[in-house]
Amino acid sequence: SVGRGPKQIVFFQPSTDLLWTIANQPSVVVKVYGHFIPNDYQYHILGYDKNLPANYPPEKIADEYAQIIKDEIGPAIISAISFGGFVGIPFAAKYPGLTQKLILISSAHEPSKKGWGIATNWVHVAESGDKIRFLKSFFGIQSTRWQSLVARAIISQRGKNLANHLNPLSTF
C-alpha cells in the first residue's frame, strides 16, 4: 500500500498483469498510479498469481481479493482497469460491504464479438509457446497507429528480454 490518507482505494489490474505481474516492477506501477491519486487516499494494487491455472474464473479471483481486502484493508473504492473489471463486477456484486464505489476503467461486463475474437487469437498464440509472436499480437492492438509502431519497435529491440520475464503464457 502507498499513501497515508484515511480513504482507501484498491486497483484491480488490467490483463497486462497476467503477463508481467506487478511484483516484477512494483515501483513503476506505484509511480504511475501515484500521479492520479489525491493525498487523502491510501492505495493498494492487487495483481494476479503468475501461475493461475487455465480457465481460472474471475469470480474466484474476486473471492480471493475479498479475503485480502477484508483482512488487510477494509471497505474501499474499487478501481478495476480493463480485465480488472471482469473481477471487479462480481466482486462488487458479491461483496457490497467491502465496496464503497466501483470504478470501471476501459472495461465492460463482457467482451464484444470482436473482443472475443482478439482474445481467442491471443490464446492460440499463447498455446503455441511463441512468446515473441504473443508479444507482437498482444501489443499490436493499440488505440493509435503511433502506439502500435512504438510497441512493435520495443518488441523488436527488446523482445527476447521481455519474453524472458513473462509469466507462463498459460496464465493468460
Side-chain angles (χ1 to χ4, degrees):
S1 64
V2 179
R4 295 194 174 116
K7 300 176 186 175
Q8 304 291 325
I9 187 166
V10 178
F11 288 94
F12 292 4
Q13 290 289 84
S15 58
T16 51
D17 196 69
L18 294 169
L19 299 176
W20 292 284
T21 181
I22 185 175
N24 289 339
Q25 296 184 14
S27 61
V28 172
V29 178
V30 166
K31 187 175 182 180
V32 169
Y33 290 168
H35 290 292
F36 303 102
I37 306 301
N39 292 335
D40 57 340
Y41 281 87
Q42 183 176 30
Y43 64 100
H44 315 267
I45 304 167
L46 299 182
Y48 307 105
D49 183 337
K50 71 176 189 171
N51 293 307
L52 282 178
N55 299 318
Y56 201 76
E59 295 82 5
K60 184 132 174 83
I61 297 170
D63 293 339
E64 293 167 358
Y65 281 5
Q67 193 62 52
I68 294 167
I69 293 169
K70 179 182 169 200
D71 293 347
E72 314 238 349
I73 301 167
I77 295 171
I78 305 300
S79 180
I81 305 166
S82 189
F83 175 80
F86 290 111
V87 178
I89 292 170
F91 177 91
K94 192 170 180 181
Y95 302 101
L98 295 175
T99 308
Q100 293 175 336
K101 293 179 185 176
L102 174 63
I103 301 169
L104 298 175
I105 302 170
S106 246
S107 192
H109 70 284
E110 67 180 37
S112 65
K113 187 175 182 177
K114 181 179 178 181
W116 277 117
I118 291 167
T120 300
N121 180 58
W122 288 339
V123 169
H124 291 305
V125 174
E127 288 173 343
S128 77
D130 186 339
K131 291 182 176 181
I132 300 294
R133 193 168 136 230
F134 181 82
L135 286 169
K136 287 180 180 177
S137 172
F138 188 79
F139 288 105
I141 307 300
Q142 300 294 326
S143 56
T144 68
R145 180 169 164 70
W146 172 249
Q147 288 173 325
S148 289
L149 291 172
V150 169
R152 289 179 187 272
I154 290 169
I155 292 166
S156 294
Q157 292 176 355
R158 299 188 313 190
K160 286 186 180 181
N161 188 40
L162 290 172
N164 289 336
H165 291 86
L166 281 177
N167 289 337
L169 291 180
S170 61
T171 302
F172 191 80

